[in-house]
Amino acid sequence: MHAQLVSRIGQSILVLWAAFTLSFVLLQALPGDAVLIRFLGGDLGLSPEQIAELRVLYGADAPIWEQYIVSLSGFLTGNFGYSVISGTPVATEILTNLPPTLWLAGLSLAAAALLAITIALTANLTGFAPLKAALENLPSLMISVPVFWLGIVMIQMFSFQLGWVSVINPGPWEQLALPVIAIAVPIAAPLAQILLRNIEAVSRQPFVQVARAKGAAPAHVLVRHILGNALLPSLTIAGLLFGELIAGAVITETVFGLNGIGRLAERSVRFQDTAVLQAIVVISAFAFLLINLAVDLLYPLVDPRLRRDDVKGATA
Amino acid sequence: MSTAPAIPVRRIPALSGKRPPVSVILTTIILGTALAWSLAPDLFSSYSGTVGLPGNQLKSPSALHWLGTDELGRDLLARIIHGARYSLSGAFVAVAVGLIAGSAIGLVAGAAGGRTDTWLMRLVDVLLSVPTLLLSLAIIMILGFGHVQAALAVGVTAIASFARLMRSEVLTLWRTDYVEAAFGSGATFLKVLVRHVLPNALTSVLALAALQFGAAILQISTLGFLGYGAPPPTPEWGLLIAEGRNYMMIAWWLTLFPGLAVILVVMAANHLGHTLERRKA
Amino acid sequence: MTYAAPLRAPETLVPVLHLPPVVLAVENLSVAYGTTRVVDQVSFTIRAGEVVALVGESGSGKTTTAQALIGLLSGNGRVTDGAIRFDGETITAFTERQFQALRGKRIALVPQDPGSSLNPVRTIGSQVAEVFRLHTDHSPDLIRREVLSLFERVGLSQPELRYDQYPHELSGGMKQRVLIAMAIALRPDLIIADEPTSALDVTVQRRILDLIDDLRREYGTALLLVTHDLGVASDRADRVVVLQKGRIQDSGLTRDVLSAPSSPYTRQLLADAPSLAAVPKARPVIASNARTVIEVQGLEQQFRTKDRAAFTAIRDISFSVAAGTTHALVGESGSGKTTTARIVSGLLRPTFGSARIDGVEVTSLAGEALRQFRRKIQLVYQNPFQSLDPRQTVGQIIEEPLLNFSPVPAQERKARVVALAERVHLDSALLSRRPAALSGGQRQRVAIARALILEPSILVLDEAVSALDVTVQARILELLAELQRDLGLTYLFVSHDLAVVRAIADTVSVFQAGQQVEQGKVEDVFSHPSTAYTRQLIAAIPGATLTSRPKQPNA
C-alpha cells in the first residue's frame, strides 16, 4: 500500500514536471522572444537599447537551457516571473485573483452537484413518464449549451428584461448568481448523465431485486442501495469537472466582467503575456494532479471493495 | 432467461429495420442541413454573409429578414448559414487531429504494452493534466489567432481521450476469447490487429469522434467568442454572439439565434455519438 | 448415495386425508413481456411444508413465474391472465404497497447468483438486519442479536466478525448462506429459491441444498425450488412441474413424473441429463498399443498477484493421453484445470515442467515454430458468446485459420468451410449470418468447426458444454463423440461436471487446489475413488435418488 502510494505520487510529480516542460517549450522556447514580440509591436516606441535592457531584465538574453533552469527553479520556489503587461510579479497577480475564482468555482461545483442529483433522483422517483423522459434528456441539452451564450442570454433576461439582477454595482452574492448558474449547467450535465446511467445499471443488479424481495419500497431501495453504488463512479470524472470549472471561470469572468484567474488567463492570451499563462497552466496541472491523487486515496474510504483487508476465513 | 449461463442478446430498436425513431430523423435533418449550409451557403440564402444593406441596421426578425439584421444591416440568417462552414470545418479538423494522433498513440500503447505503454500513457497524462481550454489557449498563443489555429488547438486537446479509449479498447479486445482463438489458430500479431481488434474498436472510436465533434464545435465557438478564432467580418458562430453582445440591450436576436444554431448542431452530434455507443453495447 | 433416502420429505408419505393447507395456488397464470407471452396458462399448488420444483431450460419461463409470484416482474412484464392465490387471498391484483408487506415477511426469495445478490458497499449484518427493520419494530439491539443467531443457524462461522464484513470478503457459499439467513429471518410461509446453487461449486452446492432442506423442514416452510437440473429436483422435491417455452409439460409427484413422464419433452430431458444416465454410454475400447499423444510431466505454474506475491496455480501435474481417447481434467473453480489445459495448448508457458504433444516439447516453442505447432492442437472455449468475433460472419470465422498458413485458393477454402459446416451439422444457410443470430448450441458448433478446419489431431475442450442447456449439451456431446469416432481425434476435456465426464471420458485427472489428487480410468475412479475429495465430488452429483430408484422401487 505504501509502496503503491509512493509510486503514485512519484508518477504525479513526473507528469507535473513534464507539464511544466511542455508549457515551457510551448510558451517560452517556441515563440522565440516574448519580450521582442511585445515591445517591437511598435505601440510603445522603445529604442533598441531600451529593449536590450528589458531583455536582460526579463532574462530573455540567456541561452534557452539556462532560461529553463531559471524558470524551473523559479516555479519550485513560487517565483513565476513578471507579467510583461503590468510589470508585477506573476505570483502576486495570481494570489490576488485566486480567491474570487475559488468562490466562483466552489459555488458552481456545489450547484452542479445539487442539480445533477436532483435530476437523477427526480427522474427515477417520478411515476409520471413524460417528466421522466424529459429529465433523462435534459442533460444532453445542458451539455450542448455554450457557457458564454447562456451568460449573455441570462443577462438579457434577468437583468434587462426582468430586472432581477442589477448590472450596476451588484452585491457580492447577486454578482455571483448568474455566473454560477452559467457554469453549473454544463457541469451538471455529464454528472447527471453518469448518475442516470449508473442508477440504471445498478438497478439491474440482482442485489436490487433481493432488496425489493425483502419488502423494501422502491424509494427506499433507490436511496439505501442504488444511490451509493451509483455515486461512486462519478468520482472518476472529478478531474474532468475541474477542467470544465477552469474553462467556465475563463468564460464567465470575461462575460460578466469579474476579476479572477479566468480573466487573467484571457488577458494574458490577448496580450501575449506568456509568463502569466504559463504559471496558470502549471498551477492548474498541479491542482488537477492533486485532485486525482485525492480521488485515488479517497476511493478505498468510500468503496469497501478497495480496502485491502485480509479475507478472514473465507470458506463455505 | 432463467438459467445462469443464459446471456441476453440485445437488440437495437434503431437498427432492426423498423421505422427509425424521431430523434434519429431530427439528428439527420440537423446535421444534413448544417453540412449543406457549409458546402453551398448561397443556395440557402440570397443575402450576403458579410456585406450589409444600408438602412437595414438592427431590424428585428420579420418576413423579409427571418432572424433580423445586425448593426451593419447584414441578414442574420445569411450570416448563420455562411458561418456553418467555420464551425463544421473547424470541428472536422479538430476531430481529425485528435482521432489520428490519439488512436495511433492508444493503439501502439495497447498493442505493444510494457515500457512503451507506460511512457506513451504518461505523455497522455500530461496532455490530460492541463485543462482543455488552457491547453488550447497555450497553443493559440504560439500559433497565433485564426480559424485554423483554433481548430488545431482544439484538436490537440482531443488527443488524450482518443488515446485512452483506443488503448482500453485494444486491451479489452486483446483479452477476448476470439482474439486468443485467432492467435491459437496461428494468426500473426498484425493479422489479429487488422481482422479483430481494429474492426471491433471502430464503433467505439466513431462514437467518441461524434461526441468530440460536438465538443469541438462548442470549443471553437468559445475561442471565436473570446476573439482568438477567425477575425471579423467572418460570420463564425461564436464571433456572431460576441458581436451581438454589444447590442444585447436592444437586439436580443443577435445573440439568441447563433447560440441556438450551436446548441442544435452540438446536440445532434452528441445524439449521433450516443446512438453509436449504444449500438456497440 | 446413502444420503439419498432421508432427503425425501416425509409429507409425500402421509395419507391423502391429512393434506396440509395450500399455501400457494397458481391458476392458469400467463405472463407477457410487451406482447411476447413467456408464461402460458401455468397452474400448480404448493402446500405447507412441501417442496415443489419448477424445472426448465433457459427460456422456459420458470424464473418469470417465480418473479410474478412476488410481484417483481422486470421491465415491461405483466400478468395477462390467471390468478395467484397466497394463503387463500388473490394477490395478482395487489398494489405495490400490499406486496411490500408480503415480501420478505411471508414470501421470501433465495436468489440465483450469490455473487451479485448482496449490496457490495454495505455490511452483511446491515443487509440482513434490514429485513427486521422493514417488517418489525424491534430495537436495534434485538435486531443485532437476531441477526447473529441467524448467522449461527445458517452455519456462518464467527457471526460477530461476519456482521461487519462486506460481501467481497466472503466466499460464494458463505454469501448464499447470508441470503438464506435473510430469507428465513421472519419465518415466511413460502420460500422461492431461484436456482440457488447453479453459480456454486458442486460440493458447496450440495451443502447449501442440505441447509435449505433442514431449515424448511424445521420451520415447516413451503419451498418453490426453481432449477434447470432434473437431478436436483429429483433429490429434493415432493412434486415437480416441468416447463418448456412457458407451458407445463409435466406435473405431479416427483417419482411419478420422473419414472413415467407423460410428455416427450420430459423424456428428452431425462435422456439428456448426464447425471441421470444410469449406465455410462459405451466407450470404444482403448487399444492397449495406442500411441501416447499428450505427455505432461511435473507442470508447475506460478502467477504474480497485483502486490507482486507469487501464487502457485498448479504444481506437479503429470498425466498422459493415448491417441483417439478422451482425457478429462475435472475439479472445482480455481483448481488449476484450465491453467493446465492452456499450457498444453501452447497458450501459456509453465514455470516448470514439460508438456509433449506428439513428441514435440510445447513449453519451449516460440515464434514461427509455435505458430506452426498450432495446427496440431486447437482449443474450444466455454462461452460461445465470447469466443466468436461479433463482426465476422460464421463463414469467415470458420475460414479464418486457413488464412494463417500456406495460401489455399478461395474456391477450396469455401468448399472446406461448407463441408465442415455439414460435418458439425450446421445449416450452411447460417454461414452468411453473424454470431448474434445464432443460438448457443449453434455457436458452439461454429467454434468446433473453426477448431477443426486446420485438421488438428487434438482438441482441448475447456468447459465447452458447460454454458449450454441440458438438451443442447447432449447434442454437442453426441457431435463430439461422432467426430472422435470418424476423425480419430484426441480430446482433453476440462470440466467441473463429473456427470458429463463420467459419460464421455476414458481417463480422468481430478484436480483440487492446484494439485492432481487422483487419476486413472474413468470406471475405476468413479467406482473406487481413492481420495476423500473424489468421493465427496461424486457424492455431490445430483440425481442419485433417481438413478438408484429402479433398485429400490418404494424408497
Side-chain angles (χ1 to χ4, degrees):
Chain A
M1 188 69 198
H2 275 292
Q4 242 180 348
L5 181 63
V6 169
S7 106
R8 186 73 185 69
I9 292 175
Q11 278 177 18
S12 300
I13 292 175
L14 190 71
V15 170
L16 184 61
W17 167 77
F20 167 80
T21 308
L22 179 78
S23 71
F24 178 84
V25 171
L26 281 182
L27 296 173
Q28 293 193 17
L30 283 184
D33 202 326
V35 180
L36 280 181
I37 294 171
R38 167 89 184 111
F39 295 103
L40 289 182
D43 32 336
L44 291 172
L46 295 175
S47 70
E49 290 77 29
Q50 283 171 306
I51 289 173
E53 213 172 292
L54 280 166
R55 292 187 68 212
V56 175
L57 187 66
Y58 282 92
D61 60 335
I64 196 77
W65 62 267
E66 200 181 312
Q67 288 186 42
Y68 178 75
I69 301 290
V70 169
S71 181
L72 181 58
S73 54
F75 267 80
L76 290 175
T77 53
N79 172 12
F80 306 134
Y82 291 85
S83 160
V84 287
I85 305 300
S86 62
T88 49
V90 175
T92 317
E93 293 251 23
I94 285 180
L95 277 179
T96 40
N97 282 298
L98 197 56
T101 302
L102 284 181
W103 271 108
L104 179 66
L107 287 173
S108 306
L109 187 61
L114 197 68
L115 185 57
I117 293 177
T118 309
I119 290 174
L121 283 186
T122 318
N124 278 285
L125 286 176
T126 179
F128 185 50
L131 177 63
K132 184 176 165 68
L135 285 171
E136 280 174 347
N137 286 306
L138 189 59
S140 23
L141 170 65
M142 285 158 52
I143 210 168
S144 310
V145 175
V147 177
F148 58 93
W149 177 83
L150 184 61
I152 294 169
V153 169
M154 280 196 299
I155 294 175
Q156 285 176 336
M157 254 180 91
F158 297 114
S159 298
F160 297 155
Q161 302 284 329
L162 300 169
W164 290 354
V165 181
S166 167
V167 204
I168 306 139
N169 291 328
W173 294 106
E174 199 178 4
Q175 184 185 9
L176 280 178
L178 295 183
V180 163
I181 296 173
I183 303 179
V185 163
I187 288 185
L191 258 181
Q193 274 174 339
I194 252 192
L195 272 179
L196 284 167
R197 207 178 301 161
N198 289 341
I199 288 177
E200 200 202 326
V202 175
S203 305
R204 279 197 297 266
Q205 292 276 312
F207 73 79
V208 171
Q209 175 103 345
V210 169
R212 297 269 276 125
K214 286 183 205 169
H220 173 97
V221 175
L222 179 64
V223 175
R224 297 301 302 274
H225 290 279
I226 299 175
L227 201 59
N229 283 283
L231 278 172
L232 280 178
S234 48
L235 269 181
T236 52
I237 63 162
L240 178 100
L241 294 186
F242 171 73
E244 292 289 318
L245 278 175
I246 295 284
V250 172
I251 297 161
T252 49
E253 286 172 6
T254 307
V255 169
F256 290 92
L258 304 169
N259 286 321
I261 299 288
R263 196 134 171 244
L264 192 62
E266 193 271 334
R267 194 196 69 188
S268 69
V269 177
R270 185 168 308 283
F271 298 108
Q272 295 282 323
D273 199 348
T274 50
V276 173
L277 189 68
Q278 195 193 355
I280 294 176
V281 164
V282 175
I283 291 171
S284 302
F286 178 67
F288 174 89
L289 293 167
L290 215 56
I291 289 170
N292 276 353
L293 203 58
V295 167
D296 280 4
L297 295 179
L298 217 67
Y299 243 109
L301 296 182
V302 286
D303 190 342
R305 280 164 295 187
L306 298 174
R307 276 174 232 159
R308 298 159 53 92
D309 294 341
D310 289 40
V311 180
K312 293 153 199 137
T315 45
Chain B
M1 217 150 14
S2 47
T3 42
I7 293 142
V9 182
R10 248 211 253 168
R11 278 183 214 294
I12 310 94
L15 298 166
S16 48
K18 304 261 168 61
R19 199 164 53 94
V22 184
S23 60
V24 171
I25 298 174
L26 277 177
T27 301
T28 316
I29 291 176
I30 293 170
L31 290 179
T33 308
L35 189 67
W37 283 1
S38 53
L39 290 177
D42 293 322
L43 289 182
F44 297 91
S45 173
S46 48
Y47 297 109
S48 159
T50 44
V51 183
L53 303 167
N56 265 325
Q57 285 92 337
L58 294 174
K59 290 272 189 278
S60 57
S62 64
L64 203 57
H65 299 286
W66 290 357
L67 304 183
T69 63
D70 70 3
E71 74 281 6
L72 298 177
R74 294 174 293 198
D75 180 76
L76 184 58
L77 179 61
R79 300 207 80 201
I80 291 175
I81 289 173
H82 281 90
R85 68 165 52 155
Y86 295 94
S87 284
L88 261 60
S89 67
F92 185 80
V93 168
V95 170
V97 169
L99 181 96
I100 293 168
S103 302
I105 293 174
L107 188 65
V108 173
R115 208 162 281 176
T116 318
D117 182 26
T118 312
W119 284 109
L120 282 175
M121 289 334 278
R122 282 300 89 76
L123 184 76
V124 168
D125 283 348
V126 174
L127 285 178
L128 272 178
S129 72
V130 181
T132 334
L133 185 64
L134 292 184
L135 184 57
S136 40
L137 290 186
I139 291 164
I140 281 177
M141 205 183 238
I142 50 166
L143 294 181
F145 298 170
H147 176 57
V148 181
Q149 289 89 327
L152 288 176
V154 170
V156 172
T157 66
I159 292 175
S161 15
F162 278 105
R164 284 198 146 188
L165 175 78
M166 194 62 171
R167 175 175 177 271
S168 85
E169 283 287 314
V170 170
L171 287 182
T172 311
L173 290 165
W174 221 243
R175 279 196 295 266
T176 57
D177 285 348
Y178 57 82
V179 163
E180 190 182 270
F183 278 120
S185 62
T188 53
F189 187 86
L190 267 182
K191 275 181 177 157
V192 169
L193 208 60
V194 171
R195 252 185 234 150
H196 298 289
V197 176
L198 286 180
N200 279 291
L202 189 68
T203 315
S204 305
V205 173
L206 283 183
L208 180 65
L211 293 177
Q212 287 289 344
F213 191 81
I217 287 178
L218 266 183
Q219 290 176 42
I220 287 171
S221 75
T222 301
L223 295 175
F225 171 79
L226 292 172
Y228 308 147
T234 318
E236 195 276 326
W237 292 348
L239 191 59
L240 288 186
I241 298 172
E243 290 171 353
R245 181 183 169 210
N246 301 327
Y247 302 90
M248 64 180 162
M249 286 179 75
I250 46 172
W252 52 269
W253 56 91
L254 287 182
T255 45
L256 185 73
F257 293 120
L260 290 180
V262 173
I263 293 173
L264 283 176
V265 177
V266 173
M267 274 182 79
N270 284 344
H271 189 265
L272 180 67
H274 288 308
T275 310
L276 283 170
E277 242 174 21
R278 270 197 295 279
R279 192 180 142 179
K280 193 196 161 229
Chain C
M1 302 274 175
T2 48
Y3 209 90
L7 287 178
R8 305 211 48 76
E11 285 85 353
T12 51
L13 304 174
V14 170
V16 186
L17 291 172
H18 292 79
L19 280 178
V22 171
V23 175
L24 180 82
V26 176
E27 291 159 16
N28 296 322
L29 180 71
S30 296
V31 180
Y33 289 108
T35 53
T36 330
R37 182 177 277 206
V38 293
V39 175
D40 196 1
Q41 302 284 319
V42 166
S43 305
F44 61 91
T45 57
I46 308 179
R47 292 175 182 277
E50 196 181 28
V51 182
V52 173
L54 206 52
V55 181
E57 298 182 289
S58 45
S60 64
K62 57 188 194 298
T63 292
T64 302
T65 306
Q67 288 172 336
L69 298 183
I70 45 173
L72 285 180
L73 285 168
S74 55
N76 56 352
R78 72 206 150 82
V79 173
T80 53
D81 197 11
I84 302 165
R85 275 184 243 292
F86 176 73
D87 203 12
E89 204 176 352
T90 304
I91 61 173
T92 330
F94 261 22
T95 62
E96 170 61 28
R97 203 167 279 274
Q98 283 173 301
F99 262 122
Q100 280 166 22
L102 215 57
R103 292 183 205 131
K105 190 172 185 208
R106 306 200 58 200
I107 307 180
L109 176 77
V110 177
Q112 184 172 107
D113 175 12
S116 52
S117 292
L118 289 167
N119 187 341
V121 301
R122 291 185 55 192
T123 61
I124 302 296
S126 78
Q127 294 188 55
V128 179
E130 192 173 25
V131 183
F132 291 100
R133 285 201 300 270
L134 286 165
H135 295 286
T136 68
D137 35 20
H138 291 356
S139 70
D141 225 40
L142 177 59
I143 291 179
R144 191 182 164 91
R145 283 201 305 278
E146 291 268 13
V147 172
L148 290 175
S149 77
L150 273 172
F151 280 178
E152 201 139 339
R153 184 62 198 87
V154 298
L156 276 175
S157 58
Q158 299 172 275
E160 291 276 355
L161 170 71
R162 303 293 167 222
Y163 196 98
D164 295 313
Q165 279 187 317
Y166 288 92
H168 71 279
E169 298 173 82
L170 272 59
S171 70
M174 284 161 73
K175 282 182 215 166
Q176 195 59 290
R177 283 172 199 270
V178 172
L179 288 155
I180 291 169
M182 235 176 236
I184 60 163
L186 298 172
R187 306 215 167 185
D189 304 291
L190 172 67
I191 293 178
I192 299 170
D194 183 4
E195 299 268 10
T197 59
S198 51
L200 302 171
D201 276 331
V202 272
T203 51
V204 184
Q205 223 171 71
R206 176 181 176 157
R207 287 201 288 272
I208 294 292
L209 287 172
D210 286 349
L211 173 67
I212 295 178
D213 238 346
D214 287 351
L215 289 168
R216 59 131 205 112
R217 209 182 306 251
E218 184 184 328
Y219 297 163
T221 310
L223 176 67
L224 178 66
L225 181 62
V226 178
T227 180
H228 68 281
D229 192 333
L230 266 181
V232 168
S234 155
D235 289 350
R236 312 281 169 175
D238 302 306
R239 289 190 292 119
V240 292
V241 177
V242 180
L243 282 179
Q244 185 204 18
K245 292 178 183 156
R247 285 173 168 275
I248 290 186
Q249 301 298 319
D250 261 294
S251 171
L253 291 176
T254 307
R255 62 178 155 199
D256 294 349
V257 170
L258 297 190
S259 59
S262 66
S263 75
Y265 177 72
T266 312
R267 277 198 288 276
Q268 182 76 53
L269 266 187
L270 276 168
D272 288 343
S275 62
L276 303 182
V279 187
K281 281 172 192 142
R283 301 279 313 158
V285 184
I286 312 160
S288 54
N289 58 351
R291 207 159 47 89
T292 296
V293 283
I294 305 177
E295 191 159 18
V296 170
Q297 275 291 325
L299 280 188
E300 173 160 342
Q301 179 75 55
Q302 292 178 353
F303 291 115
R304 295 218 168 270
T305 55
K306 264 192 183 160
D307 35 7
R308 310 249 164 104
F311 154 75
T312 308
I314 55 170
R315 71 159 52 102
D316 200 22
I317 304 291
S318 305
F319 58 85
S320 59
V321 185
T325 70
T326 301
H327 182 79
L329 307 181
V330 77
E332 297 183 289
S333 52
S335 61
K337 53 191 193 303
T338 293
T339 304
T340 308
R342 290 169 56 81
I343 293 172
V344 173
S345 320
L347 292 167
L348 189 67
R349 191 171 296 224
T351 320
F352 303 111
S354 106
R356 299 175 82 82
I357 304 297
D358 245 349
V360 180
E361 181 59 52
V362 185
T363 56
S364 59
L365 286 179
E368 186 58 21
L370 179 61
R371 207 174 74 80
Q372 291 298 336
F373 161 79
R374 300 202 185 282
R375 293 161 167 267
K376 273 203 183 131
I377 184 163
Q378 286 287 306
L379 187 78
V380 178
Y381 293 83
Q382 167 171 14
N383 191 337
F385 289 83
Q386 283 162 16
S387 65
L388 308 177
D389 187 339
R391 298 206 143 234
Q392 291 183 315
T393 64
V394 168
Q396 286 171 333
I397 291 171
I398 301 177
E399 178 191 26
E400 188 186 325
L402 285 179
L403 304 169
N404 297 333
F405 295 98
S406 52
V408 180
Q411 209 65 35
E412 192 194 326
R413 286 203 307 265
K414 192 168 183 327
R416 281 171 70 175
V417 169
V418 170
L420 201 52
E422 199 171 315
R423 174 101 254 177
V424 301
H425 309 298
L426 191 70
D427 187 350
S428 60
L430 293 175
L431 290 175
S432 57
R433 310 292 294 274
R434 282 176 213 284
L438 271 58
S439 70
Q442 287 171 331
R443 290 180 196 207
Q444 207 55 308
R445 285 173 198 273
V446 175
I448 291 170
R450 172 179 60 189
L452 287 178
I453 196 133
L454 291 174
E455 298 175 353
S457 54
I458 304 167
L459 277 195
V460 176
L461 302 151
D462 185 3
E463 299 273 13
V465 296
S466 306
L468 305 173
D469 273 329
V470 183
T471 50
V472 181
Q473 177 177 321
R475 301 292 87 73
I476 297 292
L477 289 174
E478 281 166 16
L479 170 68
L480 288 172
E482 178 189 324
L483 292 169
Q484 186 168 47
R485 199 174 55 231
D486 296 356
L487 306 172
L489 293 169
T490 306
Y491 292 152
L492 187 62
F493 191 89
V494 178
S495 181
H496 69 282
D497 191 337
L498 273 89
V500 170
V501 168
R502 181 172 59 188
I504 72 139
D506 300 299
T507 51
V508 60
S509 297
V510 180
F511 279 62
Q512 184 194 13
Q515 313 243 28
Q516 182 177 295
V517 293
E518 180 151 3
Q519 73 158 312
K521 290 192 174 171
V522 166
E523 312 90 85
D524 299 343
V525 170
F526 275 80
S527 49
H528 308 292
S530 64
T531 63
Y533 180 69
T534 313
R535 272 194 292 279
Q536 207 186 333
L537 278 182
I538 293 170
I541 305 176
T545 42
L546 193 67
T547 41
S548 59
R549 184 161 292 119
K551 289 175 209 150
Q552 335 164 301
N554 289 318

